[in-house]
Amino acid sequence: MDANILAGVSPELTSTVPRIADDPSLTVQILGIVEAVARELRPGRPAAFPTVNASLDRDLGLDSLARVELAARIEAAFTLTLPDSAIAAAETPADLIAAVQRAADPKVPAAAAVRYAPDERDATAAAPPDLISLPAVLDWHARHHGARTHVRLFADEGGGEALSYGDLHARASAVAAGLQAIGIVPGERIALMLPTGFEYFVGFFAALLSGAIAVPVYPPVRAGRIDEHLRRLEGILGNAAPSVLIVTDDLKDAASGPRARIASLRRIETIDSLATSGGRLERPAIGADDLALLQYTSGSTGNPKGVMLSHANLLANIRAMAAALAVTPADVFVSWLPLYHDMGLIGAWLGALHEGAPLVALSPLAFLARPSRWLDAIDHHHATLSGGPNFAFELCLRHTPDALRRRLDLSSWRVAFSGAEPVNAATVERFCSTFATAGFRREALMPVYGLAENCVGLAFPPLGRGPRIERIRRAALADERRAVLALADDPNPVRLVACGEPLPSHEIRIVDSAGVERSDREEGRVQFRGPSASRGYWNNPEATRHLVRGDWRETGDLGYLAGSDLFLTGRTKDLIIRAGRNLHPADIEAAAAGVDGVLPGRTAAFGAADADGGTERLIVVVETRRHVAAETQRLREGVIAAVTETAGEPPDTVVLAAPNAIPRTSSGKVRRAACRGLWLEGRLTGDTAARSRPRHGEAMRRAGRAQAQRLARSVQLLAYAGWAWTVIAVGITLAAMAILALPRLSWRWRALRGTARLVLHACAIPLRVDGQEHLPPGACVIVANHASYLDVLALAAALPRPVAFVAKAELRKTWTARLLLRRIGTCFVERFDRQKGLEDYRRIAAAARDGRSPLFFAEGTFRRVPGLMPFRMGAFACAVEAGLPVLPVVLRGTRAILRGETRVPRRGAISVVITPPQAADDSGDRWAAAVTLRERARQAILSLCDEADAQSAVRHVQAAAVQEHPPVHEAQPATLNPRHSK
């Protein structure tokens, strides 16, 4: 069965219920039933129509109880009986289709398949989740809706030229054949030095279709300086070692001269020369882990760092971003971002291509020549998605005429992402207020965070939230590395913009210099991991060694977490450590940039070693066009005053430099290390003014005090951790002895509760319990959120009567754990054998009817990062079967004390809130009652747990909600499982 064809079939075709296994609509009908169950498990959230190879568990979130419901509906729809093993063993809808075929007619082989033409009403669907490479994505779109416009080049007048999926596929295939004709084999590198245009799109996919690895490099602004341009690119081209360089027609002759300096370069070609070779494309096999792209990071011309990105990396990142932004084929993406940069290439173009959303492309030069073109394009094409670096929003503020602002309509713009450089709080606020009259909504602006080492995207804020800006005490951040909220009357706070939370299936953590994870609101190094993470840098093992930390990756950035939100404070390599204080250059540069006479955005701050002072000197460079002595003196004094107000001390040296003296990357970022090098070599020209530094003794005393404070905090942390583990070990020993010795369950529970309270008291962890009056007099099903290994300890200390903890079956593998847990009434559930797991749930429901109150951690597990995950169905199905209410219990504070994957507990307080019991609806439909009960209980916990809703974050990104479909109506069974209900 061709899953790619089936993914485009509309569920509207499923109105006729098939009765025999060889009915052509069998597959579509079963997919419709699967979709309906998945949709009911996620009320209020869109669900993608599943493919036959989607994972029931990972992609669609169907747990064991949901499978039972799925089997009941399939049996009712097809009037047959499935064997118990079939539903338990099924991994995908294809397995269910085979099971129905076997049950209806044993002679029908399991692999029998019928191919269907795509339904035209669903011709704009996003690519299905089971495609493993970018060429497979393009194949799918070309096959399903080849005539549909994929990219349109923006024109000031008219609609602009358009490129369809079919045209892109055909032209890229012809160029790929030309690459093979000149000897390109899979794994070779193809460098693309092309401007924004159809040639770039064609050349990129031609490289991939041939099995080669694409290497985008930025094109020259002027053809006459191609030799100079290639000299700057020699580091990148020498590292990537491409076999072919693809350029525009007007650059081919000019590029032939420097070719001799690049040893690997065999050919310099154009799109036209390759397309007319007349060869036939032999498509190589492309695996998910094969490299698709070498993305060279900004400023890597001197020390080339080509990030290795596989097809799996790219597709995981694209799908995660689409899930976070709820992208659908109805969206329109406008982008001026360079296609040699990850944000423009992956975030804009490849993301739009995968999701079936049309892309309107402007060249970066067209945007820079008239920034208002960007906004005009959004208005003209009713774009919903667009964004850029902070400077782009600033340029629009400065260079959009009043007349244009009055006629602009930006009301369609639902996601305006700002990333690739630090997001300035003042720019955010001014843009939102200035363009509100044009229909721009503040909640559309999304400060985001990403890096090439994770393809492009890593952290996005919740959709529709709008910017979150914090005011932080400057001294606490500089001296103590803590993000303490500033008081309202603080005259000089640091204003930081939240970058959001990790994308689905990705994680972020903050660590200190020793790699120990830091607590919330403590500054440290930002690390990440996830399916988009690069394996390292091409042909650069030294840089890779600094990037990779086990399964974590270094970002090179400093920041802190506040809940699940990431706030960036600076770059580790740029950090200025002066007299024991951390000074962030971006903060200082922003202050200097506000001085009259400094060219906009033309400032650089860096540290330089000071052997005499034993610390770093603070150097500030500003570009200016002023030359008169009186003016330069006032400018110098203004910079010193502004930096002093921001940093708390004046700079050691202020350099008044000529325009364009500060080195910058191709994307416009300040190259502080290069600037420092020029200054040290005396090559940074301009007036220089030095100030007298603080006395050596004063600086050393200040540095010593700050270092002593940090050392004291570290010692206190380790001492507390040692004490806490000792207390916990003694508590476990005492509790185990009591549990083994006492003959009654009520006595054992009383001993366990007393020991838990004693442990918390000895560890100086206050425990607050609210809502005990909500405990029902009889049995109930208790559900709690799960955040830490401390949750069991907290609940044992908080609940006044015995409960039956529901635990994973693996815990009974050792006889000591099995004996102790059974002595306190623990119920075990098999997680990996689905049939045994269902039997375990039935036993728990029967025990609940007999008066025992089972306690479920409804999330099933816990993670390091904050956020309430989806609830599994077991607890709620048990409650409906037993006819008992569900009692939601909320845990707060345990994650902050002992986060997952760490062994260092920290001081904190725990709160347990017992909410009113929830009774199941008496509607007769047990499945619907269980689903409703689950949603009500989860909402009660979510409203009080002080954590974000992470429901979408733990769904596999391949099943991300990107398209609404009309619901499928089929016969509804009356019970959760007709074979086990009266």
Side-chain angles (χ1 to χ4, degrees):
M1 188 71 69
D2 190 339
N4 296 342
I5 294 293
L6 289 170
V9 179
S10 171
E12 293 177 353
L13 295 180
T14 64
S15 57
T16 302
V17 178
R19 294 295 176 182
I20 55 175
D22 59 354
D23 191 300
S25 60
L26 166 68
T27 298
V28 177
Q29 177 67 4
I30 290 180
L31 289 178
I33 296 173
V34 172
E35 182 207 24
V37 174
R39 183 188 298 275
E40 290 168 14
L41 286 171
R42 306 180 66 204
R45 294 175 295 277
F49 192 66
T51 66
V52 292
N53 291 323
S55 168
L56 296 176
D57 186 17
R58 186 184 63 246
D59 295 344
L60 301 175
L62 302 184
D63 59 19
S64 298
L65 273 298
R67 287 165 179 272
V68 174
E69 176 67 11
L70 186 61
R73 294 192 188 187
I74 291 175
E75 290 175 342
F78 294 96
T79 61
L80 48 74
T81 300
L82 294 175
D84 289 345
S85 59
I87 191 65
E91 297 290 345
T92 65
D95 297 333
L96 297 175
I97 295 166
V100 170
Q101 289 173 328
R102 287 193 297 269
D105 183 359
K107 295 179 182 179
V108 177
V114 180
R115 183 179 297 274
Y116 300 96
D119 179 11
E120 290 303 319
R121 290 167 298 175
D122 196 34
T124 60
D130 52 357
L131 304 179
I132 65 170
S133 71
L134 289 171
V137 170
L138 181 59
D139 290 342
W140 188 90
H141 282 297
R143 184 167 63 247
H144 284 74
H145 37 254
R148 184 168 183 253
T149 296
H150 165 44
V151 178
R152 187 176 296 277
L153 299 181
F154 177 76
D156 291 325
E157 301 291 338
E161 295 180 83
L163 179 72
S164 70
Y165 290 100
D167 288 341
L168 175 59
H169 189 275
R171 293 175 61 181
S173 297
V175 175
L179 288 171
Q180 289 183 342
I182 62 174
I184 293 300
V185 298
E188 289 192 89
R189 275 76 58 208
I190 306 295
L192 303 165
M193 194 170 68
L194 298 167
T196 295
F198 293 157
E199 286 189 332
Y200 185 97
F201 302 123
V202 169
F204 183 88
F205 261 103
L208 299 189
L209 288 169
S210 71
I213 302 169
V215 185
V217 295
Y218 57 95
V221 177
R222 291 179 292 276
R225 304 181 66 177
I226 181 65
D227 188 79
E228 177 186 340
H229 181 76
L230 284 178
R231 285 183 185 278
R232 289 199 300 270
L233 291 178
E234 279 182 14
I236 290 176
L237 296 176
N239 178 262
S243 302
V244 174
L245 173 65
I246 300 179
V247 299
T248 53
D249 290 333
D250 58 331
L251 292 181
K252 185 173 182 180
D253 292 338
S256 59
R259 172 182 160 190
R261 298 197 297 269
I262 302 167
S264 65
L265 196 57
R266 303 198 304 265
R267 305 283 290 262
I268 295 178
E269 298 285 349
T270 68
I271 294 296
D272 288 342
S273 67
L274 291 168
T276 56
S277 65
R280 181 177 181 276
L281 176 62
E282 299 291 337
R283 290 284 294 271
I286 299 176
D289 293 328
D290 290 343
L291 290 183
L293 169 67
L294 297 184
Q295 178 66 60
Y296 279 84
T297 60
S298 296
S300 64
T301 52
N303 178 30
K305 291 195 297 184
V307 181
M308 296 185 287
L309 298 175
S310 68
H311 290 274
N313 292 147
L314 292 165
L315 289 174
N317 202 243
I318 289 166
R319 288 163 178 159
M321 291 188 294
L325 301 179
V327 180
T328 77
D331 281 301
V332 177
F333 207 131
V334 163
S335 176
W336 58 267
L337 298 165
L339 291 168
Y340 54 80
H341 189 271
D342 49 26
M343 185 183 277
L345 172 62
I346 305 167
W349 173 40
L350 295 180
L353 179 137
H354 184 278
E355 300 306 317
L359 174 71
V360 178
L362 297 79
S363 77
L365 294 179
F367 164 72
L368 293 173
R370 200 174 81 220
S372 60
R373 273 198 181 102
W374 178 28
L375 305 182
D376 210 24
I378 293 170
D379 178 358
H380 181 72
H381 293 278
H382 305 289
T384 57
L385 309 172
S386 194
N390 187 86
F391 80 83
F393 294 88
E394 192 67 43
L395 285 176
C396 287
L397 285 167
R398 296 176 184 172
H399 300 291
T400 303
D402 292 340
L404 177 58
R405 290 182 188 177
R406 286 192 292 270
R407 71 167 179 79
L408 276 175
D409 180 5
L410 303 179
S411 59
S412 65
W413 199 358
R414 70 176 186 87
V415 173
F417 56 86
S418 177
E421 67 179 9
V423 180
N424 185 278
T427 301
V428 166
E429 292 178 338
R430 287 193 297 115
F431 190 89
C432 291
S433 61
T434 299
F435 290 98
T437 55
F440 183 80
R441 300 179 303 278
R442 179 183 175 85
E443 55 268 26
L445 206 149
M446 294 182 67
V448 299
Y449 172 63
L451 65 168
E453 288 78 1
N454 197 56
C455 294
V456 58
L458 178 56
F460 283 20
L463 193 63
R465 182 185 72 180
R468 175 186 174 187
I469 300 173
E470 288 195 342
R471 300 169 69 255
I472 301 300
R473 285 175 49 195
R474 192 175 298 277
L477 187 63
D479 298 337
E480 304 172 30
R481 281 56 157 178
R482 293 190 304 121
V484 180
L485 292 175
L487 299 176
D489 59 353
D490 190 322
N492 189 30
V494 181
R495 300 179 72 210
L496 298 173
V497 182
C499 298
E501 55 196 35
L503 288 174
S505 301
H506 295 73
E507 292 182 83
I508 291 174
R509 71 175 183 178
I510 308 297
V511 299
D512 62 16
S513 57
V516 177
E517 189 165 0
R518 309 217 72 186
S519 298
D520 266 19
R521 296 196 163 278
E522 290 185 346
E523 185 191 44
R525 302 196 330 263
V526 182
Q527 295 182 336
F528 71 95
R529 66 181 178 188
S532 308
S534 167
R535 70 188 71 168
Y537 300 109
W538 178 265
N539 198 25
N540 196 334
E542 180 64 20
T544 299
R545 186 177 65 82
H546 290 291
L547 171 71
V548 178
R549 295 290 184 269
D551 57 346
W552 292 92
R553 302 290 184 269
E554 294 280 1
T555 65
D557 288 311
L558 294 168
Y560 66 89
L561 290 171
S564 56
D565 261 318
L566 173 67
F567 289 81
L568 295 178
T569 57
R571 295 282 295 168
T572 53
K573 67 180 182 180
D574 293 332
L575 190 67
I576 304 164
I577 304 177
R578 195 175 191 288
R581 305 178 72 229
N582 280 2
L583 301 180
H584 295 286
D587 214 16
I588 295 169
E589 290 163 357
V595 177
D596 182 41
V598 175
L599 294 178
R602 296 290 176 170
T603 59
F606 51 87
D610 182 0
D612 295 334
T615 184
E616 281 195 314
R617 303 177 67 188
L618 173 57
I619 315 299
V620 178
V621 182
V622 299
E623 293 181 7
T624 182
R625 289 191 175 93
R626 297 188 176 178
H627 303 291
V628 179
E631 291 182 344
T632 57
Q633 181 59 30
R634 283 195 298 270
L635 176 59
R636 187 180 303 116
E637 291 172 352
V639 170
I640 291 173
V643 171
T644 302
E645 182 179 357
T646 295
E649 54 186 272
D652 291 274
T653 299
V654 173
V655 178
L656 306 185
N660 300 317
I662 296 175
R664 308 179 81 85
T665 68
S666 58
S667 58
K669 298 177 184 176
V670 174
R671 296 172 58 198
R672 298 187 182 99
C675 195
R676 179 193 296 111
L678 292 177
W679 183 78
L680 290 173
E681 295 170 8
R683 296 166 54 196
L684 198 58
T685 59
D687 292 337
T688 301
R691 70 165 182 91
S692 59
R693 295 186 299 273
R695 294 189 303 273
H696 177 80
E698 177 187 346
M700 290 301 97
R701 282 193 297 272
R702 186 164 57 190
R705 283 195 301 269
Q707 186 172 359
Q709 290 172 354
R710 291 193 295 273
L711 179 60
R713 285 198 298 271
S714 298
V715 170
Q716 289 172 359
L717 175 63
L718 294 176
Y720 176 79
W723 167 254
W725 282 120
T726 301
V727 169
I728 291 172
V730 172
I732 290 174
T733 302
L734 293 175
M737 294 170 60
I739 290 168
L740 293 173
L742 296 173
R744 296 185 181 178
L745 178 61
S746 60
W747 294 357
R748 297 174 207 143
W749 184 263
R750 197 173 299 131
L752 177 62
R753 184 169 186 255
T755 304
R757 285 178 166 263
L758 183 63
V759 167
L760 293 176
H761 179 74
C763 291
I765 299 176
L767 173 67
R768 175 174 175 171
V769 182
D770 295 315
Q772 293 196 57
E773 69 275 9
H774 295 141
L775 280 166
C780 61
V781 175
I782 304 172
V783 294
N785 57 311
H786 202 8
S788 169
Y789 286 114
L790 293 180
D791 292 344
V792 173
L793 181 70
L795 290 171
L799 297 176
R801 67 188 192 202
V803 299
F805 284 105
V806 178
K808 57 186 179 183
E810 299 96 284
L811 292 177
R812 61 186 174 192
K813 289 183 178 180
T814 59
W815 70 270
T816 51
R818 182 172 65 248
L819 176 61
L820 291 171
L821 292 173
R822 282 180 173 169
R823 293 278 290 176
I824 60 171
T826 301
C827 300
F828 296 97
V829 173
E830 175 60 53
R831 298 192 298 168
F832 303 109
D833 187 320
R834 297 191 182 101
Q835 193 61 40
K836 290 182 179 178
L838 293 174
E839 294 170 2
D840 290 335
Y841 279 120
R842 295 180 193 122
R843 281 195 294 269
I844 295 171
R849 281 194 296 267
D850 292 337
R852 296 176 62 188
S853 294
L855 190 154
F856 289 80
F857 289 112
E859 294 169 276
T861 186
F862 65 89
R863 314 179 298 162
R864 300 177 49 265
V865 296
L868 190 67
M869 295 190 293
F871 280 9
R872 302 184 73 83
M873 287 296 297
F876 311 97
C878 285
V880 172
E881 288 290 315
L884 295 174
V886 166
L887 186 71
V889 175
V890 184
L891 287 158
R892 294 191 301 231
T894 55
R895 195 192 307 272
I897 296 172
L898 186 64
R899 192 185 292 268
E901 298 185 17
T902 184
R903 298 294 181 266
V904 183
R906 299 166 186 268
R907 293 181 183 272
I910 295 175
S911 169
V912 177
V913 181
I914 302 170
T915 71
Q918 308 269 354
D921 296 332
D922 188 16
S923 62
D925 187 336
R926 296 189 175 187
W927 170 256
V931 171
T932 301
L933 194 58
R934 183 193 66 167
E935 291 305 305
R936 284 162 45 199
R938 188 175 185 277
Q939 188 57 43
I941 292 176
L942 180 63
S943 66
L944 295 172
C945 70
D946 293 338
E947 292 192 351
D949 187 348
Q951 186 140 225
S952 62
V954 295
R955 294 293 187 200
H956 193 276
V957 294
Q958 292 182 341
V962 297
Q963 187 174 8
E964 285 282 4
H965 288 275
V968 180
H969 300 285
E970 70 284 300
Q972 298 289 331
T975 63
L976 287 173
N977 191 329
R979 293 196 293 268
H980 297 283
S981 302
K982 296 181 181 180

